[in-house]
Amino acid sequence: MDTKTLLEWSAKYHTPNYGSRAPIVLVRGDGVRVWDSDGREYLDFGAGIAVTSLGHCHPRVTGAIQEAAATLLHVSNLYHAAPQIHLAKLLIEHSFADRVFFSNSGAEANEAALKLARKYARERIASDRFEFIATRNSFHGRTFATVAATGQEKYHHGFEPLPPGFKHVAYNDLRAMERAIDNRTAAVIVECIQGEGGVHVADEDYLRGLRKLCDQSGALLILDEIQTGVARTGRLWCYEHYGIEPDIMTLAKALANGVPIGAMLTREEIASVLVAGTHGSTFGGTPFVTSVALATLTTILDGKLWERASRMGRYLMDGLRAIQASNPTVRVVRGKGLLIGAELSAPVAPVVDACREAGLLVLSAGERVLRLTPPLIVEERDCDRALAIIGTALGPAG
Ligand SMILES: *Cc1c(COP(=O)(O)O)cnc(C)c1O
């Protein structure tokens, strides 16, 4: 099938919500590279929105997929399955948490977190304690509850009425949070770095301050680490940068290197309200996906890939700052590890297009932020090439 026909059929047969999709058809990937249906090669500095952290077709991931496919794909959660148990154990051994629930996506992990927090607050603290406080510019998913948690009007538009019980305050503003928390607050939900919202990094004292406010008021602290988790920011979990621990953490994107998975992690005492029958998922944590996640997480742990994320992140950010020094279109460069944003003084969409045409896939975050989330296995020479393309795509200096 030729590319032109595929693009015509795509426009004809899909719901139009992905209408701004890039006009290429990707057919193959290997490491940091992907190829389109016309044989053009791209450096992939989006990694499927911070998902394919080990790169495309990593041998350990591919091996786990092949083995699981030939052993057991799915049995439902009516039965136990060893890979799910091993993955739960590994996540618990390497995090603050005591208990884990598996879902199929980030939104579903957050949905589970919100349901759990509300049930815990109402049953263990006070029956009228059901509200959530989230932050402006946040992104927590597209289901009704998670879109209500999301602090961006554009995702709400047309879907009202949204589920009640969500308030939003400015990010990195402890005073605003202090004013918003009261004896109706079940939980505060925040990202350590707002990914979709523009790569806004939590200030040093922000998460510590939130931890304190939650402890004082009895509200739970939910950290949405769906984009920041699993070594992306230079630590296994982004909260480690801040010297605090959440009550609930959600994961998804990079956890199985591209096979759909979500996870909600929490402490024993909180998990205890989720008694038999209160929550569930048909597909959540299948033997297939959990074997792939096990291979992914083991590879990341064995290679201490957060160290690599930290080192390569510094290299890439230094490179972007060098571009900034001679090109005032770049206003600010920010991020942690390999979750990096460059805020521009102009719309980012033409820059994303120009990069792609020059053989580099990058992401945007909002109207004006260029977002880079390359695989953690990226090398300096890949970064050099990406920086050269970005420099050209940004247009003439000065
Ligand atoms: C991507 C993302 C989600 C939603 O995940 P889906 O798998 O698309 O449902 C939620 N929160 C954050 C921070 C994300 O980056």
Side-chain angles (χ1 to χ4, degrees), residues 189-366:
I189 178 167
V190 291
E191 296 153 273
C192 301
I193 300 176
Q194 291 186 328
E196 302 295 316
V199 194
H200 296 285
V201 181
D203 294 338
E204 271 304 311
D205 57 359
Y206 184 59
L207 294 186
R208 264 200 304 277
L210 289 185
R211 181 68 274 174
K212 213 162 157 193
L213 288 173
C214 286
D215 289 343
Q216 285 163 356
S217 80
L220 298 181
L221 179 60
I222 304 173
L223 290 183
D224 177 344
E225 290 234 30
I226 288 167
Q227 191 158 160
T228 54
V230 202
R232 165 112 345 238
T233 69
R235 296 291 189 96
L236 186 56
W237 319 117
C238 194
Y239 70 74
E240 296 172 32
H241 289 287
Y242 295 89
I244 56 122
E245 289 180 348
D247 299 303
I248 302 177
M249 171 169 78
T250 51
L251 303 174
K253 289 189 161 81
L255 188 53
N257 209 55
V259 175
I261 188 170
M264 179 203 62
L265 286 77
T266 189
R267 291 188 285 106
E268 174 78 41
E269 190 221 341
I270 299 164
S272 66
V273 301
L274 225 47
V275 296
T278 50
H279 194 58
S281 164
T282 300
F283 290 121
T286 61
F288 171 65
V289 66
T290 47
S291 345
V292 181
L294 257 181
T296 303
L297 191 56
T298 311
T299 306
I300 285 171
L301 289 167
D302 289 351
K304 293 190 166 56
L305 286 188
W306 52 90
E307 290 176 1
R308 194 183 170 84
S310 179
R311 192 168 69 248
M312 297 314 295
R314 253 191 321 268
Y315 188 79
L316 202 50
M317 255 192 274
D318 286 348
L320 287 169
R321 291 200 170 111
I323 293 174
Q324 179 188 17
S326 65
N327 194 325
T329 311
V330 182
R331 285 241 171 104
V332 196
V333 176
R334 56 184 179 240
K336 272 190 195 296
L338 285 170
L339 176 49
I340 299 172
E343 188 169 321
L344 310 181
S345 59
V348 66
V351 179
V352 172
D353 289 344
C355 284
R356 188 181 63 250
E357 276 151 27
L360 173 69
L361 304 184
V362 294
L363 305 172
S364 59

